[in-house]
């Protein structure tokens, strides 16, 4: 687990360092969020700031790769996750701060040299406005995603996933709704002629809208089956479960690569078209862009294209934009808490895995997980074992360096585990349909439960 988290951090660091170089390359007449005259984009002062910024990006990446090394030796899974999250947030924050510093440097170059951007008259192309969405894919392309997401929501409600079953289905629907809203905002984007050439303006507009409609539809389709994965896994043989998980993971990897390639391709095509125009219409909006954040209360748009030509940005000058960003922040915070709290409880609580008995049967519970109840009539045998079967496949739950929780396949048999790896003995409860494994942090308490359950089972 430690090695996996470190490798993920290094990969994220490299990706962010590469993507961070994009604003330092001219797009239209903008470099490092600063609007410059076209003939000044290759000025030695401008190139010097750009090169130094790119150099600092790689230096920062190397520093954070070393800063992340302690994650390899942290003994507790919860602390590994917390260190990973803090390191990642600090890294993203540091890179953003670095970008802010060099945006200021580039702005200072512009101000000190009195480089005024030539103003252009506002051009209104009524033909382009009337047919601005001709190249967008139809909204009906979302239909497969809606069908899959709705089916996943219904399936998750009916599946045996405990208290979180409704949440998994809801996530699929929220994802589809999010991409549908993106599609809506893209369709409502006003057109802005960038050159004096009508054909080039139309081509640039068509590329942007076509690419973004494809991305929203593909994203919704790829992510819509999420609710099915945990639900179908416990009912499948472990070979099929492994194949499904590996196949979907490969789809996600191809999807991520496709996004980066498609966005870069869109930006490159737009720049090539604009370079062919005899005259470029300058739009100096630096006063509304504050370090990659758009703030313009007079602009009615909620989402707008960013300045590097690869993303959409939220207008924080509008109340709706502030609500969107606040909601994203709250959701992110909830995800961070939800992912770390169960691990903290499992690592540092005196008795996180609980076993209780009643007149009807045995109950097994873990932090933020559904309680498993086993009727006395279902129990075929109760044993103490020292080791788990070696053939283990995690289906749904947690598998870390210290403990195993959730649904597994052990030697081709369905099993539910609440087990600390370094604690023996292990209580084994065998039923007709599933085998349950349990350990307590106190080994003596595990033995006590074994004796208690045996007596109760004989009495039944």
């Amino acid at each position: 687990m430690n090695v996996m988290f470190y490798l993920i951090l290094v990969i994220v660091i490299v990706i962010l360092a590469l993507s961070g170089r994009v604003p330092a390359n001219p797009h239209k007449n903008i470099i490092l969020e600063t609007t410059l005259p076209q003939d000044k984009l290759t000025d030695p002062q401008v190139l010097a700031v750009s090169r130094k910024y790119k150099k600092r990006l790689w230096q920062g990446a190397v520093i954070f790769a070393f800063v992340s090394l302690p994650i390899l030796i942290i003994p507790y899974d919860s602390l590994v996750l917390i260190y990973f999250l803090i390191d990642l947030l600090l890294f993203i924050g540091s890179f953003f701060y670095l970008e802010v510093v060099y945006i200021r440097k580039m702005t200072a170059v512009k101000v000190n040299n009195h480089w005024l951007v030539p103003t252009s008259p506002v051009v209104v192309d009524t033909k382009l406005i009337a047919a601005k969405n001709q190249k967008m894919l139809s909204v009906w392309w979302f239909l497969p995603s809606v069908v899959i997401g709705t089916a996943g929501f219904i399936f998750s409600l009916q599946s045996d996933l405990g208290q979180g079953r409704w949440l998994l289905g809801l996530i699929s629907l929220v994802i589809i709704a999010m991409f549908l809203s993106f599609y809506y905002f893209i369709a409502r984007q006003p057109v802005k002629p960038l050159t004096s050439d009508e054909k080039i303006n139309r081509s640039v507009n068509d590329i942007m809208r076509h690419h973004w409609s494809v991305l929203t539809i593909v994203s919704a389709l790829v992510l819509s089956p999420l609710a099915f994965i945990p639900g179908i896994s416990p009912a499948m043989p472990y070979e099929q479960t492994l194949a499904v998980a590996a196949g979907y993971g490969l789809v996600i990897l191809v999807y991520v690569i496709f996004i980066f390639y498609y966005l870069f391709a869109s930006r490159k095509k737009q720049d090539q078209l604009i370079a062919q125009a005899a005259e470029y219409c300058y739009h100096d909006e630096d006063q509304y862009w504050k370090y990659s954040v758009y703030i313009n209360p007079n602009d009615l748009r909620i989402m707008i294209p960013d300045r590097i030509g690869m993303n959409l940005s939220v207008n924080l000058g509008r109340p709706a934009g502030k609500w969107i960003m606040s909601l994203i922040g709250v959701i992110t915070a909830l995800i961070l808490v939800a992912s770390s709290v169960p691990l903290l409880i499992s690592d540092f609580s005196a008795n996180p895995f609980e076993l209780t008995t009643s007149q009807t049967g045995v109950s097994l519970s873990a932090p933020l997980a559904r309680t498993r109840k086993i009727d006395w009539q279902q129990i075929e045998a109760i044993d103490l074992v020292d080791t788990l079967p070696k053939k283990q496949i995690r289906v749904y739950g947690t598998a870390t360096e210290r403990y195993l929780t959730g649904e597994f396949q052990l030697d081709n048999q369905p099993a539910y585990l609440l087990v600390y790896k370094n604690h023996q003995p292990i209580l084994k409860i065998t039923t007709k349909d599933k085998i349950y494994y349990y350990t307590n942090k106190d080994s003596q308490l595990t033995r006590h439960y074994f004796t208690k359950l045996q007596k109760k089972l004989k009495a039944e």
Side-chain angles (χ1 to χ4, degrees):
M1 179 177 177
N2 299 52
V3 175
M4 179 190 70
F5 273 112
Y6 180 74
L7 291 176
I8 292 174
L9 272 176
V10 172
I11 292 172
V12 171
I13 288 170
V14 172
I15 291 175
L16 287 178
L18 288 172
S19 60
R21 294 166 58 91
V22 176
N25 298 320
H27 174 62
K28 299 175 183 176
N29 60 313
I30 300 167
I31 182 169
L32 279 174
E33 299 292 343
T34 306
T35 307
L36 299 176
Q38 194 72 28
D39 60 332
K40 302 300 181 183
L41 293 174
T42 55
D43 186 272
Q45 298 176 74
V46 173
L47 296 178
V49 174
S50 176
R51 283 194 294 265
K52 195 168 183 180
Y53 168 67
K54 293 177 181 179
K55 181 179 179 181
R56 291 287 184 266
L57 279 174
W58 286 116
Q59 290 174 342
V62 172
I63 291 172
F64 268 92
F66 280 102
V67 170
S68 304
L69 283 173
I71 205 171
L72 295 172
I73 59 174
I74 296 176
Y76 293 101
D77 298 315
S78 57
L79 298 184
V80 169
L81 178 61
I82 291 173
Y83 189 94
F84 171 84
L85 295 174
I86 292 175
D87 197 31
L88 183 61
L89 292 175
L90 286 175
F91 175 71
I92 295 173
S94 297
F95 268 37
F96 178 72
Y97 175 74
L98 182 65
E99 183 179 3
V100 168
V101 169
Y102 279 87
I103 289 174
R104 289 175 176 173
K105 290 180 181 292
M106 190 65 75
T107 302
V109 171
K110 175 183 177 180
V111 173
N112 294 337
N113 287 280
H114 304 288
W115 287 340
L116 299 178
V117 177
T119 57
S120 303
V122 176
V123 179
V124 177
D125 190 333
T126 54
K127 293 182 180 179
L128 184 58
I129 293 173
K132 65 178 182 179
N133 293 328
Q134 278 190 336
K135 298 297 182 179
M136 286 189 71
L137 296 186
S138 170
V139 71
W140 290 106
W141 282 93
F142 279 98
L143 185 60
S145 305
V146 173
V147 172
I148 294 172
T150 304
F153 179 67
I154 297 172
F155 177 77
S156 64
L157 290 178
Q158 298 175 346
S159 61
D160 185 25
L161 295 177
Q163 298 173 352
R165 65 187 187 275
W166 63 270
L167 181 60
L168 293 168
L170 186 61
I171 286 174
S172 291
L173 296 182
V174 169
I175 288 174
I176 295 169
M178 179 181 69
F179 286 112
L180 270 168
S181 66
F182 286 169
Y183 179 93
Y184 170 78
F185 286 124
I186 293 165
R188 286 178 56 87
Q189 285 286 330
V191 293
K192 182 183 292 185
L194 300 174
T195 73
S196 56
D197 191 308
E198 180 181 333
K199 292 183 179 180
I200 291 178
N201 293 334
R202 177 173 295 279
S203 296
V204 170
N205 174 78
D206 288 345
I207 288 172
M208 189 275 288
R209 294 172 193 274
H210 174 76
H211 275 59
W212 273 103
S213 64
V214 170
L215 283 176
T216 54
I217 291 168
V218 171
S219 298
L221 183 61
V222 170
L223 298 176
S224 59
L226 279 175
F228 281 103
I229 303 300
I232 63 176
S233 298
M236 296 172 60
Y238 82 92
E239 294 91 349
Q240 295 181 18
T241 300
L242 186 61
V244 170
Y248 192 65
L250 181 61
V251 170
I252 294 295
L253 178 62
V254 172
Y255 161 70
V256 172
I257 294 174
F258 167 75
I259 286 178
F260 279 97
Y261 165 77
Y262 210 55
L263 288 174
F264 275 107
S266 173
R267 170 186 161 113
K268 184 177 180 180
K269 288 179 181 178
Q270 292 180 60
D271 287 344
Q272 289 174 343
L273 286 167
I274 292 172
Q276 298 172 14
E279 183 182 356
Y280 180 80
C281 299
Y282 286 88
H283 301 280
D284 190 343
E285 298 179 332
D286 290 359
Q287 69 271 27
Y288 300 124
W289 287 92
K290 306 298 182 183
Y291 311 120
S292 303
V293 179
Y294 186 72
I295 306 174
N296 185 2
N298 298 319
D299 191 338
L300 298 180
R301 295 176 296 173
I302 305 301
M303 301 190 72
I304 62 171
D306 69 3
R307 307 192 88 190
I308 63 175
M310 292 181 57
N311 209 340
L312 294 176
S313 183
V314 177
N315 182 7
L316 291 183
R318 305 295 302 175
K322 295 175 183 177
W323 276 105
I324 290 173
M325 293 305 295
S326 298
L327 182 61
I328 292 174
V330 170
I331 292 175
T332 302
L334 290 175
I335 291 174
L336 296 181
V337 171
S339 60
S340 57
V341 167
L343 293 179
L344 282 169
I345 295 174
S346 299
D347 279 335
F348 299 105
S349 174
N351 190 24
F353 299 161
E354 296 184 357
L355 184 151
T356 57
T357 60
S358 66
Q359 293 296 325
T360 57
V362 181
S363 297
L364 300 175
S365 61
L368 301 183
R370 180 178 69 89
T371 298
R372 262 60 174 188
K373 295 181 179 180
I374 313 166
D375 292 339
W376 292 114
Q377 292 77 11
Q378 295 177 334
I379 299 177
E380 296 180 347
I382 299 175
D383 303 287
L384 283 179
V385 298
D386 292 327
T387 59
L388 293 171
K390 293 184 178 179
K391 198 172 185 180
Q392 303 175 6
I393 299 294
R394 179 173 62 90
V395 177
Y396 176 69
T398 303
T400 72
E401 299 293 333
R402 302 184 68 243
Y403 43 80
L404 305 169
T405 66
E407 303 288 344
F408 285 73
Q409 288 276 353
L410 302 184
D411 283 347
N412 300 338
Q413 291 183 312
Y416 179 74
L417 276 62
L418 291 181
V419 173
Y420 283 95
K421 289 184 176 180
N422 298 325
H423 289 67
Q424 286 82 30
I426 304 170
L427 179 62
K428 178 182 178 183
I429 303 174
T430 304
T431 69
K432 181 181 178 180
D433 299 323
K434 186 176 294 186
I435 301 176
Y436 298 83
Y437 293 89
Y438 170 86
T439 60
N440 194 281
K441 279 189 174 181
D442 185 348
S443 298
Q444 293 299 323
L445 196 54
T446 303
R447 292 187 177 92
H448 169 73
Y449 288 147
F450 169 70
T451 304
K452 181 179 179 180
L453 292 180
Q454 274 195 325
K455 291 180 180 179
K456 185 68 175 178
L457 188 61
K458 289 177 181 179
E460 293 291 329

